[in-house]
Amino acid sequence: MKKQLLFSLVAGLGLLFCPMVANAQNPVFDGWNADPEAVLFGDTCWVYPTVNGKRFDCFASTNLKDWTKYEDIISVNTVSWAERCLWAPAMVRKDNKYYLFFSANDVHEGEIGGIGVAVSDKPQGPFEDLLGHPLIPNIVNGAQPIDQYVFLDNGEYYMYYGGWGHCNIVRLKDDFTGIKPFDDGEMYKEITPEKYVEGPFMFKRNGRYYFMWSEGSWTGPDYSVSYAISDSPFGPFRREAKILQQDPEVATGAGHHSVINIPGTDDYYIVYHRRPLGHTEAGHRHVCIDKMEFLEDGTIKPVKITFEGVGAVKLK
Ligand code: FUB
């Protein structure tokens, strides 16, 4: 009887914290998922999130509303050097192959782990470890080797990465088996903007480079996303503003995002994670999608995080 009473109380509180919204589309799919990397391949949006630290799943949709889940696309059982903390995937398609970059083991000095890369013939995997060892195993310029984002610019693949408040950029070899020097001979360039914590992301709009990152603590309510605009992929990146953050009426800890642009349009969507109201557990994060808009001068408007989401969107 006591148990039943407790259950009704918890359920009632849950309803209080999660208001019912007609046609609510956020979170976009069920389950605790975070750090979503969203990419468009043709008419399909693929989302690669952090799942439980032991494996990755991915999700596909042709309208951002209805999703198909593909489970266990790679796991610690298939990457010899990975044991735990499989985090924050990044996805690249090159020459009809799909490359999944990931971080593993939450490495500290002297430990095995870091950023790895896996390959498949299909976006839904299964993926195989490409190298048998991490691509970036070490801590350089104070940046923990996690949270990579791979960016193609003028035929060169660059990787932004880094936790612990430091961000590096490296240049990837064409076959992704390692990194190669910049024109000045340097292998790693630190590009950390003010207040940067982790989760870098880059996109190009109207010839300008938008560099974005997460701030605050990912376990807390103040996790958020800010950005800078530059004329170069190497910066300098002067912090412009915070554009994604908690809303006391909707959710807390909104951060670690990616951005998709519908080709041939100026329609942008931000794909991010957030923690439902009333939840404080670090891993309780949901993937959500909301609209991201720009002002005339090219700056990004603060994003309104919603329960409604973006409706059914034509992706092609
Ligand atoms: O999901 C694990 C970690 O949480 C990521 O690497 C960070 O960016 C934070 O979102």
Side-chain angles (χ1 to χ4, degrees):
M1 187 63 187
K2 257 189 189 165
K3 241 191 194 167
Q4 237 177 7
L5 201 73
L6 191 69
F7 178 78
S8 319
L9 197 71
V10 170
L13 276 176
L15 273 182
L16 246 183
F17 282 127
C18 294
M20 300 293 279
V21 176
N23 300 321
Q25 202 172 296
N26 277 331
V28 287
F29 33 75
D30 288 338
W32 300 128
N33 296 288
D35 314 326
E37 163 96 346
V39 281
L40 290 181
F41 294 138
D43 66 355
T44 304
C45 177
W46 292 83
V47 175
Y48 300 84
T50 297
V51 182
N52 60 4
K54 295 282 185 190
R55 65 158 210 274
F56 290 126
D57 302 333
C58 72
F59 300 80
S61 173
T62 51
N63 61 6
L64 302 187
K65 188 168 187 279
D66 308 300
W67 295 87
T68 303
K69 180 177 180 178
Y70 298 89
E71 276 187 39
D72 204 3
I73 61 174
I74 188 169
S75 80
V76 291
N77 302 324
T78 49
V79 181
S80 61
W81 52 273
E83 279 176 13
R84 61 193 190 94
C85 301
L86 274 193
W87 284 347
M91 165 54 62
V92 172
R93 177 170 65 181
K94 183 172 189 282
D95 303 332
N96 284 325
K97 291 218 178 281
Y98 297 84
Y99 294 88
L100 186 83
F101 295 77
F102 58 94
S103 54
N105 297 355
D106 186 18
V107 279
H108 294 67
E109 201 65 60
E111 296 175 351
I112 292 174
I115 296 171
V117 55
V119 64
S120 175
D121 292 331
K122 289 183 283 182
Q124 69 270 36
F127 288 87
E128 277 180 20
D129 188 17
L130 182 70
L131 305 174
H133 57 82
L135 174 72
I136 308 275
N138 40 356
I139 293 150
V140 180
N141 300 327
Q144 190 187 29
I146 60 166
D147 289 4
Q148 62 296 320
Y149 178 69
V150 178
F151 178 64
L152 173 64
D153 191 45
N154 294 327
E156 290 284 346
Y157 287 91
Y158 299 101
M159 186 165 75
Y160 299 90
Y161 77 89
W164 297 346
H166 293 272
C167 186
N168 290 333
I169 181 172
V170 292
R171 207 170 166 194
L172 292 171
K173 288 184 179 168
D174 280 353
D175 56 5
F176 300 149
T177 57
I179 61 175
K180 60 184 185 183
F182 291 98
D183 292 345
D184 61 6
E186 270 193 333
M187 296 297 278
Y188 297 81
K189 287 183 186 292
E190 180 166 7
I191 49 114
T192 311
E194 185 196 352
K195 294 196 179 171
Y196 172 94
V197 173
E198 58 195 13
F201 186 84
M202 169 65 90
F203 70 94
K204 205 172 172 182
R205 178 177 179 267
N206 295 338
R208 296 204 288 170
Y209 296 85
Y210 288 72
F211 184 62
M212 308 178 84
W213 63 89
S214 291
E215 299 179 351
S217 166
W218 69 270
T219 56
D222 63 339
Y223 203 46
S224 50
V225 170
S226 294
Y227 79 105
I229 306 176
S230 178
D231 292 330
S232 154
F234 313 121
F237 297 114
R238 197 183 55 80
R239 186 177 181 279
E240 192 79 40
K242 184 177 288 221
I243 54 105
L244 181 82
Q245 60 187 309
Q246 64 178 323
D247 177 334
E249 312 239 300
V250 181
T252 62
H256 200 132
H257 73 301
S258 52
V259 171
I260 50 170
N261 165 233
I262 311 302
T265 75
D266 201 28
D267 294 341
Y268 284 79
Y269 297 91
I270 185 161
V271 185
Y272 62 97
H273 75 234
R274 67 191 196 200
R275 191 167 287 114
L277 294 179
H279 287 248
T280 50
E281 185 78 21
H284 285 191
R285 300 171 294 178
H286 277 150
V287 171
C288 297
I289 305 182
D290 278 301
K291 193 101 177 91
M292 193 176 90
E293 294 173 314
F294 297 82
L295 292 170
E296 286 266 300
D297 63 359
T299 55
I300 306 176
K301 289 188 191 175
V303 172
K304 167 108 193 74
I305 67 170
T306 68
F307 289 111
E308 294 83 359
V310 296
V313 174
K314 205 157 185 254
L315 296 179
K316 217 176 170 184

